[in-house]
Amino acid sequence: MSRKADEMLVVHVRFLAQVSISAAKILRNEVAFVLKSFEDNPYLYQLEADLNLPAGKYRRAVFVKRYKAVFFISGDTVYVDAIVDCRQEYRTT
């Protein structure tokens, strides 16, 4: 995971923990599950359709109904660039 993706995950988990510790644990566990699933076959996940990203390069893994991991695959390595709360609008800067 990139440093930025790791920071994004920490922000999301902290926010959830203020509302519900169990929801924060669910998010943490789901992220761990998704990361583990990349070892089996990261190509199972859909291509990301965000117009701000290069077409056909990035994929997305959606979890806990509203979060997604945005990643790309290079050789045998999966690079997670972002963990996004899909309810929020993110700037590209």
Side-chain angles (χ1 to χ4, degrees):
M1 272 188 18
S2 71
R3 180 177 296 155
K4 183 67 175 172
D6 192 45
E7 290 169 0
M8 294 170 95
L9 178 59
V10 168
V11 167
H12 298 314
V13 171
R14 272 193 197 141
F15 173 78
L16 275 178
Q18 292 175 355
V19 178
S20 167
I21 296 294
S22 62
K25 288 179 181 178
I26 289 169
L27 175 58
R28 182 196 64 200
N29 293 340
E30 286 288 319
V31 169
F33 176 81
V34 167
L35 294 176
K36 180 75 174 145
S37 75
F38 289 159
E39 294 176 10
D40 296 328
N41 188 356
Y43 292 99
L44 291 176
Y45 293 96
Q46 294 178 341
L47 289 171
E48 177 58 60
D50 188 325
L51 297 176
N52 295 314
L53 298 174
K57 179 177 180 179
Y58 284 90
R59 294 180 175 270
R60 70 173 177 257
V62 177
F63 49 94
V64 195
K65 298 182 184 178
R66 64 179 66 111
Y67 295 94
K68 69 179 172 181
V70 179
F71 65 95
F72 69 95
I73 305 162
S74 179
D76 291 339
T77 306
V78 175
Y79 297 92
V80 179
D81 278 350
I83 304 288
V84 179
D85 181 341
C86 297
R87 299 171 297 171
Q88 297 177 345
E89 191 171 313
Y90 284 87
R91 293 180 287 168
T92 57
T93 58

